[in-house]
Amino acid sequence: MNTAALPLPEPPTGGASYRLTAPNLPTTPKIARDWVVLVLRAANLPRLVEPARLCTSEVVTNAHRHSRTPSITVEVALAGRRTAVLVHDDGPAGLPLPVPSGRYTGQEHGRGLLLVDSLADDWGVLVLDDRTKAVRFTLVDRDDRDDRDDRNDREGGDAA
């Protein structure tokens, strides 16, 4: 997780990228998450649909609730089995950057970035310029072989 205003890993290259700019309205989180789902289904990345839906919903909801800008932009970059989603608004970059609290407080809000942290392969916050901040998360589509390899690596064994 990268919560400082530092550059994040480069977005996937060599693939397709898409952009949606929507008004900052209460309906925008649903529209954005449904749009991201459509992009992933069209790209034949079904295993990324649910984590992307949840992460997009949380990040766009935060942008809606905590910025007073007229629009929110969602960008999706696809390259192979790697997908990066960038959500940005034109809120002043000087506002505090979002960070997960790291603990459950019993409140009905404030856990969205913990969810993003648990679902995304990588995520972070960055300042794009003096007026724009963004949250990016990356998801990687792993097949069953990758899961076995990851388990074996963690357990110190050889992949079957």
Side-chain angles (χ1 to χ4, degrees):
M1 171 184 59
N2 178 357
T3 58
L6 300 173
L8 294 175
E10 290 297 314
T13 57
S17 62
Y18 303 86
R19 176 184 286 208
L20 168 75
T21 299
N24 188 354
L25 299 172
T27 55
T28 297
K30 180 187 181 339
I31 291 167
R33 72 177 170 252
D34 290 350
W35 176 77
V36 169
V37 166
L38 287 172
V39 170
L40 292 174
R41 285 188 177 149
N44 197 26
L45 294 167
R47 285 186 287 261
L48 298 185
V49 166
E50 286 309 311
R53 178 193 319 261
L54 290 168
C55 291
T56 300
S57 184
E58 293 300 332
V59 175
V60 175
T61 297
N62 282 348
H64 167 66
R65 286 185 178 165
H66 302 293
S67 74
R68 291 173 175 56
T69 62
S71 63
I72 297 170
T73 299
V74 181
E75 297 180 51
V76 177
L78 306 169
R81 297 182 341 190
R82 187 170 177 234
T83 299
V85 177
L86 181 76
V87 176
H88 57 91
D89 58 61
D90 292 329
L95 289 176
L97 296 174
V99 294
S101 67
R103 59 186 165 80
Y104 176 67
T105 62
Q107 296 177 340
E108 291 184 19
H109 56 81
R111 296 184 304 268
L113 291 178
L114 288 173
L115 181 66
V116 173
D117 189 50
S118 70
L119 294 174
D121 290 279
D122 186 29
W123 78 276
V125 180
L126 66 154
V127 176
L128 301 175
D129 56 41
D130 64 341
R131 291 203 30 82
T132 307
K133 62 186 172 307
V135 175
R136 173 189 281 169
F137 62 88
T138 303
L139 300 168
V140 179
D141 182 17
R142 293 182 172 81
D143 62 21
D144 293 334
R145 184 186 65 236
D146 291 338
D147 292 339
R148 283 193 307 273
D149 291 346
D150 288 347
R151 269 195 307 277
N152 278 332
D153 288 346
R154 285 192 303 271
E155 296 167 3
D158 293 325

